[in-house]
Amino acid sequence: MGVAPAYTCLSCRLKTLVVSAPRTSRRQLHASASYSARKPSFPNVSASKMGLLTQETGPSINDSRIKPYSEDEKALLAKKYTPDQLEAIYAGETAILDEDLRIQGRARTDPMRISYFDDFSKIRPIIDHPAEIPAGGAKEQDVGKLLKSTEPVKAPAPTREAPSRQQVAESTDPRILRLSQQTGMTPQQISKLRVKNLVNHRVVNQTRMGKIQSLYFLTIAGNEDGMLGIGEGKAAEDEDGRRQAMMNAIRNMKPVPRYEERTIYGEVEAKVGASVVQLSARAPGFGNRCQHLIYELARAAGIQDLAARTPRSRNKMNVVKAAFEALMAQRLPEDVARARGRKMVDVRKVYYGGQVY
């Protein structure tokens, strides 16, 4: 005689019959896998495992550079800084441990490094002034004996070359002479300026006598060492318009603030018409990565590391004017510190001597 099955209610029977439906995946809007499915290509590595916190990795700072001030150096510092500033300098240097400099400090050896340390006992003919080169030759000379001796160093007599026809014409041109009187530069300095025409097109003026055609020119001028100017010219003849724009550009030359004589201070923006120009400072070796008009402006001003964007209109005339206004509208750190009533100190130059990453 068989055993009767146990009684179960209807709800319990339905629960056993329900099959869990498969979970639908979220729709992906791109071809790459979801974040949860991705795996890193390599495990996390700490700085200690890579050996970055040991003294043996990389060219570290030698003990010869970590030494206290001598009495002569303290006397020279006392001539330049006040007693309160000297106390701040000594307190800042004592707060930095020598062991941290030996372990974490690195002297850069890449080609793009900035030479903060130099041997001034050697004369390098490319960088040093030509008048300081001895008459013996153009190689590096040991001038230790010359510095100790009381006799002055005699520079080699300059060789006079016959002036070319262009130099004679520029020296006798009344327009160049008048420009020299207005700017205070000699004709030779004016001839060495970097002048480039960026914009030129034909314009028409409608009068009661009819349409009068003329040519418009926009020219920039700079000495490639912090001076930059733009000028406009308009004339019926091509040569007259170009000369007029060049003269105005040289007259309008103004100093451009440069950080470390290679880039600008922070980020600046200027707007002329519908054109907006955004300039940004970059690290050494970045180069001038911008469109050709802003590139020519930076090259004439002596700027080597710059990034620029023109998000709106790219009208050539307005872009050049907006870039020039942006370079002139830089906010200097000294002005910010003076407005806030604070004293600004460059930590890299004062405490680390430029030896930073």
Side-chain angles (χ1 to χ4, degrees):
M1 187 173 183
V3 180
Y7 176 77
T8 55
C9 64
L10 182 60
S11 60
C12 296
R13 295 177 183 178
L14 294 176
K15 286 183 180 179
T16 57
L17 294 176
V18 173
V19 180
S20 60
R23 185 178 179 183
T24 58
S25 60
R26 183 178 57 184
R27 181 183 179 186
Q28 298 290 338
L29 301 178
H30 47 80
S32 60
S34 61
Y35 182 77
S36 60
R38 278 184 272 171
K39 294 182 179 180
S41 57
F42 54 88
N44 295 333
V45 181
S46 60
S48 58
K49 293 182 180 180
M50 295 178 64
L52 298 178
L53 300 182
T54 58
Q55 188 175 357
E56 289 76 12
T57 60
S60 60
I61 301 176
N62 300 328
D63 294 338
S64 60
R65 293 181 178 177
I66 307 175
K67 56 184 179 180
Y69 287 115
S70 62
E71 296 298 332
D72 297 338
E73 292 174 346
K74 291 182 179 180
L76 292 175
L77 289 174
K79 295 180 180 179
K80 188 174 182 180
Y81 300 101
T82 61
D84 296 338
Q85 293 175 346
L86 287 176
E87 292 181 3
I89 293 175
Y90 296 152
E93 292 189 354
T94 53
I96 301 173
L97 301 178
D98 297 345
E99 189 66 22
D100 294 342
L101 287 177
R102 293 190 186 94
I103 295 177
Q104 300 184 9
R106 293 290 182 272
R108 291 178 56 178
T109 57
D110 54 292
M112 299 301 176
R113 68 183 184 277
I114 302 176
S115 301
Y116 289 98
F117 300 94
D118 201 349
D119 185 8
F120 293 100
S121 62
K122 303 289 185 180
I123 289 181
R124 293 186 289 178
I126 299 178
I127 299 177
D128 295 333
H129 198 275
E132 299 178 356
I133 301 177
K139 299 181 179 180
E140 293 185 353
Q141 303 290 335
D142 187 3
V143 295
K145 299 180 181 179
L146 298 176
L147 295 175
K148 295 180 181 179
S149 62
T150 57
E151 298 180 359
V153 180
K154 295 183 179 179
T159 58
R160 292 188 176 182
E161 299 180 356
S164 61
R165 294 182 178 179
Q166 183 179 1
Q167 294 177 351
V168 173
E170 290 179 353
S171 61
T172 57
D173 191 355
R175 292 183 290 264
I176 298 295
L177 295 177
R178 189 189 310 163
L179 184 63
S180 176
Q181 295 173 358
Q182 293 173 349
T183 58
M185 295 185 295
T186 62
Q188 289 76 19
Q189 294 175 344
I190 294 176
S191 62
K192 293 180 181 179
L193 295 177
R194 182 177 183 82
V195 180
K196 190 175 184 62
N197 178 261
L198 298 182
V199 181
N200 61 319
H201 52 78
R202 186 177 64 92
V203 294
V204 178
N205 183 23
Q206 180 68 44
T207 64
R208 64 185 181 87
M209 302 299 295
K211 295 182 180 180
I212 301 177
Q213 299 182 3
S214 57
L215 298 173
Y216 170 83
F217 296 92
L218 180 62
T219 306
I220 63 171
N223 63 347
E224 302 183 15
D225 194 17
M227 295 291 292
L228 180 66
I230 62 175
E232 298 175 298
K234 187 168 64 173
E237 298 294 334
D238 181 276
E239 184 178 355
D240 296 339
R242 290 181 183 273
R243 184 185 296 108
Q244 182 181 355
M246 181 193 70
M247 298 291 183
N248 293 333
I250 296 175
R251 286 193 199 96
N252 298 334
M253 285 176 58
K254 298 178 182 179
V256 177
R258 296 182 300 165
Y259 177 68
E260 293 182 351
E261 298 184 356
R262 60 172 184 82
T263 186
I264 63 175
Y265 287 89
E267 297 183 357
V268 289
E269 181 178 341
K271 181 177 181 293
V272 173
S275 299
V276 177
V277 173
Q278 300 172 353
L279 305 180
S280 304
R282 288 295 181 262
F286 185 83
N288 294 328
R289 302 185 189 179
C290 46
Q291 62 160 295
H292 67 285
L293 298 174
I294 305 176
Y295 174 84
E296 294 296 340
L297 280 169
R299 188 177 180 184
I303 297 176
Q304 291 100 19
D305 304 306
L306 183 69
R309 291 181 68 249
T310 52
R312 294 187 59 186
S313 173
R314 289 177 175 82
N315 181 272
K316 293 184 178 181
M317 183 175 61
N318 292 340
V319 165
V320 174
K321 293 180 180 179
F324 182 75
E325 289 186 4
L327 291 175
M328 295 293 117
Q330 299 183 52
R331 197 177 182 192
L332 301 181
E334 293 84 359
D335 299 339
V336 178
R338 192 181 302 109
R340 296 181 181 179
R342 296 290 186 267
K343 180 180 181 297
M344 185 189 66
V345 176
D346 194 341
V347 180
R348 177 170 61 178
K349 294 182 180 179
V350 175
Y351 297 136
Y352 292 98
Q355 298 190 49
V356 295
Y357 291 103

